[in-house]
Amino acid sequence: MKLNRWTILIASTIINICVGAIYAFSIFAMPLTNVFHVTMPEIMMAFTINGAISPIPMILGGKLVDKGGARTAIFLGGSMFGLGFILSGLATAPWMLYITYGVITGIGQGIVYSATIGNSVKLFPDKRGLAAGIVTAGYGGGTIVIAPIANALITSNGVQSALITLGISFLVVILGGGLFVKACPAGFIPEGWTPPVVSGANKAGINIPWTEMIKKPIFYVIASLFLIGALSGMMVTSNASVIGQTMFGLTPATAALFVSLYSLSNCSGRVFWGAISDKIGRTKCLMVIYIVIAAMMLTIALSTSVAGFAVAIIGIGLCFGGTMGIFPSIVGEKFGMKYYGINYGVTFIGYSGAAFFGPRIANSVAAANGGQFTNAFYIALVISLVGFALTFIFKSMEKKQLTSPTKSKVA
């Protein structure tokens, strides 16, 4: 039976829209504080736990993908994800949410995400950037699709009923979509595509397992670049509405529109930069992204107009999306596809670092400056310029990797 990789990519993207709903937690948070009669930080701890464990299930999902079990990973992770939502709707105390939404849903989401990305990137060796961009755009766009649905369900039936309804829906869509996903065969080459001829030390094709990967300096440069690229995005992701209201005088309703604009830019950036990186190369793309981030951080720091805020929000969103769309391809190209699933899960620690530090930098600076985020933007600007400088080190390491012999395992 002929493999239709585009059908698999579309199914994977739809699945990712479901698991991307994890970032719509703010929709549930306020109603849940009223149900349990607790503070917002107590409820938000469920989301914090969810984000903190993300690299662990990604490595597990990646291991299944590397063994040809992409569909198995989607069924396993999808079942946990849907069940986590259902159980969250049945929770009677915040500590239960920490287990259901934090741990069960978090593990399920990570397994599914690593399976959809890992398998899609393997299926598109000729269009890695575009494929990674599309499949991660589904994840990034999950909030755009799910947030209004969740809001309507909460309004009509309450937050707990909404969680149960969404959980059942996610089970149906993810498991149904999983039926259309087929594992990429070993050594897959798309029809009509000739792999580029690689000369020198890499002629045999490098496939480096994670145990060897973490011994290489280039791995730490890649993880650092990932962290820097995602940092500014995570600062804004968690605070876009607050920034709009406190610094630009927006009403809560208008600020919510800007949050949607940011999410849309994030989603678009994954496809846009992914496709561009296929044309001009990943390193040049990263250089442009870090410069644009620096320019946007300067714009949002100096601007007093809503128009300036809008430009910055769009620019930061596009670049955050670009970061998420490009790094899956970088990992595949630098360490090979044989162990790709686990390798990307390990490298994802860079993103987890950004998710941990980004919001904390923004919130601590704002708390120390009467709610103003300006100094946090300057910090992000400097960090992005460090990222730009680091791309030159990365470029020289790439050249060295191409010309020097390697003792790494080969397929």
Side-chain angles (χ1 to χ4, degrees):
M1 190 176 173
K2 192 179 176 183
L3 186 77
N4 189 329
R5 58 186 184 151
W6 289 101
T7 300
I8 297 169
L9 183 67
I10 291 165
S12 298
T13 305
I14 293 168
I15 288 166
N16 274 2
I17 288 172
C18 292
V19 292
I22 207 81
Y23 291 109
F25 187 69
S26 59
I27 303 288
F28 308 111
M30 185 62 76
L32 284 169
T33 61
N34 297 327
V35 170
F36 297 134
H37 307 292
V38 293
T39 63
M40 184 64 84
E42 285 177 272
I43 292 296
M44 288 305 291
M45 181 56 69
F47 184 68
T48 304
I49 292 167
N50 181 289
I53 65 171
S54 60
I56 301 164
M58 284 198 67
I59 292 167
L60 174 59
K63 195 170 180 107
L64 286 167
V65 170
D66 291 342
K67 291 183 174 179
R71 183 185 286 176
T72 303
I74 288 168
F75 284 166
L76 172 64
S79 298
M80 290 186 72
F81 185 78
L83 186 64
F85 262 79
I86 292 167
L87 293 175
S88 294
L90 298 171
T92 55
W95 67 266
M96 292 183 181
L97 278 181
Y98 303 159
I99 297 168
T100 58
Y101 200 94
V103 179
I104 298 173
T105 303
I107 291 173
Q109 162 226 339
I111 292 173
V112 172
Y113 185 54
S114 61
T116 53
I117 289 185
N119 196 50
S120 297
V121 170
K122 289 187 178 196
L123 283 166
F124 287 84
D126 52 334
K127 296 182 178 74
R128 274 193 192 132
L130 178 64
I134 291 170
V135 80
T136 59
Y139 190 69
T143 303
I144 304 170
V145 177
I146 304 300
I149 297 170
N151 203 44
L153 288 170
I154 291 167
T155 305
S156 58
N157 298 309
V159 66
Q160 289 173 302
S161 172
L163 285 164
I164 293 168
T165 303
L166 285 169
I168 294 167
S169 303
F170 292 150
L171 276 174
V172 173
V173 176
I174 295 172
L175 299 185
L179 295 172
F180 293 92
V181 174
K182 292 183 176 67
C184 178
F188 174 72
I189 296 173
E191 197 176 319
W193 179 67
T194 306
V197 177
V198 183
S199 59
N202 287 358
K203 201 168 186 179
I206 284 186
N207 282 298
I208 302 169
W210 75 271
T211 48
E212 292 296 315
M213 179 180 77
I214 60 171
K215 295 175 186 174
K216 296 182 175 296
I218 196 169
F219 162 74
Y220 295 96
V221 173
I222 290 170
S224 299
L225 286 168
F226 201 170
L227 188 154
I228 292 166
L231 189 79
S232 59
M234 291 308 296
M235 286 173 73
V236 174
T237 296
S238 55
N239 294 293
S241 178
V242 179
I243 293 166
Q245 291 177 65
T246 57
M247 296 183 67
F248 295 92
L250 302 181
T251 63
T254 308
L257 290 176
F258 275 82
V259 172
S260 297
L261 180 64
Y262 175 78
S263 296
L264 191 60
S265 302
N266 170 12
C267 191
S268 306
R270 297 175 189 229
V271 182
F272 173 76
W273 288 113
I276 293 289
S277 73
D278 281 338
K279 296 278 191 289
I280 69 170
R282 320 296 175 204
T283 312
K284 283 181 185 174
C285 219
L286 284 178
M287 287 176 173
V288 176
I289 283 174
Y290 293 132
I291 290 297
V292 173
I293 291 172
M296 291 301 103
M297 284 298 166
L298 188 62
T299 300
I300 198 171
L302 297 178
S303 183
T304 53
S305 70
V306 175
F309 180 52
V311 169
I313 278 285
I314 291 167
I316 294 163
L318 284 169
C319 291
F320 177 53
T323 298
M324 301 307 293
I326 288 173
F327 276 91
S329 302
I330 288 175
V331 173
E333 285 160 7
K334 296 297 160 260
F335 306 115
M337 297 309 297
K338 186 175 181 180
Y339 308 102
Y340 176 82
I342 297 177
N343 288 350
Y344 185 64
V346 174
T347 312
F348 204 72
I349 289 167
Y351 168 81
S352 297
F356 182 82
F357 290 111
R360 279 165 179 75
I361 292 170
N363 292 328
S364 58
V365 169
N369 292 276
Q372 295 297 303
F373 289 84
T374 309
N375 289 343
F377 301 143
Y378 286 124
I379 291 168
L381 189 159
V382 172
I383 291 170
S384 65
L385 291 178
V386 171
F388 178 71
L390 202 56
T391 56
F392 289 94
I393 296 171
F394 178 58
K395 201 171 185 180
S396 69
M397 285 180 158
E398 279 187 305
K399 287 179 182 173
K400 192 177 175 187
Q401 190 185 50
L402 283 170
T403 55
S404 64
T406 178
K407 293 178 183 177
S408 307
K409 290 185 184 181
V410 289

